[in-house]
Amino acid sequence: MEFDDVLRGRRSIRGFQKKPVPKALIREILEIAMRAPTSLNSQPWNFYVVGGEVLDRIRKGNVERNLAGVPDSREFRMGPAYEGVHRERQIGIAIQLFEAMGIERHDKEARMDWVLRGFRQFDAPVSIVITYDKALQGGDIAPFDCGGVVNAIVNTAWNRGLGCVINSQGIMQSPVVREEAGIPDDQVIQTCVAMGWPDDSFPANAVVSTRKSVDEAAVFRGFDD
């Protein structure tokens, strides 16, 4: 696809085919994505790519601990709950997804099932856990750079027919992720990307989120009209 078509067409995928993703293809995606901009060429990112039984154990541990009421141990700062327009956008995408899936407001069972899907990383065949070096913890540049490489991963994957969703629910229980993915203590777990071949029959995959306009987002100064 043309670059613009990738950006305009990409959407988050939350339903995947039960079809493996070749390791060589994932390596190719990472190689290209790592051309993302990085401050002073620091390249703080590391990737722990998991699938098969390893990913199944992460799913199981994440679900069991969350349902047991174990407090989440995500290692990046979540910050305060969204308010105002940010909360409105958060609610807006939830409404779009629930409408697509036919989940009624009063249907607690269906809503819980949706939450559990998130804990399971939406049953994707592959999860890429993104970390950065703990020596850089405390500054904002390393996680900023990691955000850039994550953006490159999901768009590069989309260009090759793969779907992704950036999913912090799947790493809520970091001790489980650390143990099963073999992540050493000198790494900070930032987020994960669930990846696989999109299931076109999964209704939520058709959801396209709305975006604010350039006029809402950008201020131009010193330009002639």
Side-chain angles (χ1 to χ4, degrees):
M1 286 185 282
E2 295 291 335
F3 181 74
D4 290 5
D5 293 334
V6 173
L7 295 187
R8 291 182 184 278
R10 189 211 61 83
R11 57 191 183 275
S12 292
I13 298 299
R14 297 175 174 87
F16 300 91
Q17 299 179 43
K18 295 186 181 302
K19 175 182 173 183
V21 180
K23 179 180 176 181
L25 180 55
I26 301 171
R27 290 181 60 90
E28 178 183 307
I29 289 167
L30 292 177
E31 181 181 8
I32 293 172
M34 284 192 290
R35 296 304 307 173
T38 171
S39 177
L40 302 175
N41 199 33
S42 59
Q43 304 178 65
W45 49 66
N46 290 291
F47 311 105
Y48 294 83
V49 186
V50 293
E53 293 182 357
V54 175
L55 180 51
D56 286 341
R57 289 195 297 269
I58 291 175
R59 296 190 228 273
K60 184 174 183 291
N62 197 48
V63 169
E64 289 179 350
R65 287 167 65 99
N66 281 320
L67 289 181
V70 177
D72 83 72
S73 50
R74 282 180 282 207
E75 297 178 8
F76 61 92
R77 294 176 296 177
M78 289 292 291
Y82 288 165
E83 296 181 354
V85 66
H86 305 101
R87 177 60 176 164
E88 291 172 10
R89 293 181 187 132
Q90 182 183 29
I91 293 172
I93 188 61
I95 290 173
Q96 283 184 269
L97 290 168
F98 285 174
E99 286 181 349
M101 297 298 296
I103 300 174
E104 301 289 344
R105 185 180 183 87
H106 63 275
D107 192 340
K108 294 182 180 179
E109 183 176 344
R111 284 173 175 260
M112 176 54 71
D113 179 69
W114 185 258
V115 171
L116 293 177
R117 288 182 64 86
F119 292 165
R120 300 194 309 265
Q121 301 192 33
F122 294 93
D123 299 322
V126 174
S127 175
I128 302 176
V129 182
I130 293 89
T131 74
Y132 62 88
D133 301 334
K134 191 168 285 186
L136 302 173
Q137 192 171 21
D140 292 330
I141 292 178
F144 180 87
D145 282 359
C146 287
V149 81
V150 167
N151 177 67
I153 288 170
V154 299
N155 283 305
T156 304
W158 186 260
N159 194 40
R160 283 155 177 73
L162 287 163
C164 298
V165 62
I166 303 168
N167 172 240
S168 68
Q169 290 171 293
I171 55 165
M172 288 176 68
Q173 300 293 337
S174 60
V176 175
V177 181
R178 231 175 235 294
E179 179 180 355
E180 297 296 346
I183 301 173
D185 291 338
D186 66 357
Q187 296 294 299
V188 177
I189 298 172
Q190 178 165 343
T191 193
C192 71
V193 175
M195 177 185 291
W197 304 103
D199 178 358
D200 293 335
S201 68
F202 191 74
N205 286 349
V207 170
V208 178
S209 59
T210 59
R211 298 300 167 101
K212 60 183 180 182
S213 68
V214 173
D215 288 338
E216 292 175 286
V219 175
F220 294 88
R221 301 290 298 274
F223 289 85
D224 295 331
D225 291 341

